Amino acid sequence: QVQLVESGGGLVQPGGSLRLSCAASGFTFSWYGMYWHRQAPGKGLEYVSGINPDGTSTYYAEAVKGRFTISRDNAKKTLYLQMNSLKSEDTAVYYCASRDDPAVLTTVQRDEYDYWGQGTQVTVSS
């Protein structure tokens, strides 16, 4: 059974940091591109970042470039998102997703991805 389980969300003050994790099971993690996407209240899905299967290529949305860092540990079957200099507009539910493709996708439509996690809430507020 395929599972993507996100963790690490929470409440943080503006300017603070959080590190999200996504633990994968039930599929060959090292074959899949991995992604972080988010959805703010009342808004649609927003692309955050993607990383190719061997971790050598990454892509970031302009809104997070320079503040967020995506990484992966294939031995641990885990995806990470280090989020620094957080802003109130980063408040959202953050989802990890996977896609069986060596190229990094730069768009987000739910049916473009093979698997999705349940999400973890990130709230940036003073």
Side-chain angles (χ1 to χ4, degrees):
Q1 181 182 359
V2 171
Q3 281 195 307
L4 292 173
V5 180
E6 300 96 335
S7 62
L11 174 65
V12 63
Q13 292 187 341
S17 298
L18 280 176
R19 188 194 196 201
L20 305 184
S21 299
C22 172
S25 61
F27 66 101
T28 306
F29 182 77
S30 61
W31 291 0
Y32 282 68
M34 296 298 299
Y35 299 81
W36 289 101
H37 302 308
R38 66 187 182 187
Q39 188 164 20
K43 297 188 177 181
L45 273 173
E46 180 185 12
Y47 185 106
V48 175
S49 183
I51 187 167
N52 69 338
D54 64 7
T56 57
S57 179
T58 59
Y59 186 85
Y60 297 92
E62 284 298 321
V64 306
K65 196 175 292 185
R67 300 187 298 122
F68 291 10
T69 302
I70 191 171
S71 62
R72 64 190 295 161
D73 185 330
N74 284 350
K76 295 182 178 179
K77 300 181 181 180
T78 303
L79 175 72
Y80 303 100
L81 185 69
Q82 178 66 43
M83 305 187 294
N84 298 329
S85 303
L86 283 160
K87 306 175 181 179
S88 58
E89 50 263 45
D90 295 318
T91 294
V93 177
Y94 283 71
Y95 299 93
C96 69
S98 63
R99 176 179 165 92
D100 186 8
D101 188 338
V104 178
L105 196 65
T106 60
T107 58
V108 56
Q109 298 289 337
R110 273 203 177 266
D111 59 4
E112 291 177 320
Y113 295 83
D114 297 301
Y115 309 118
W116 288 82
Q118 293 300 306
T120 185
Q121 177 70 48
V122 171
T123 303
V124 184
S125 175
S126 55

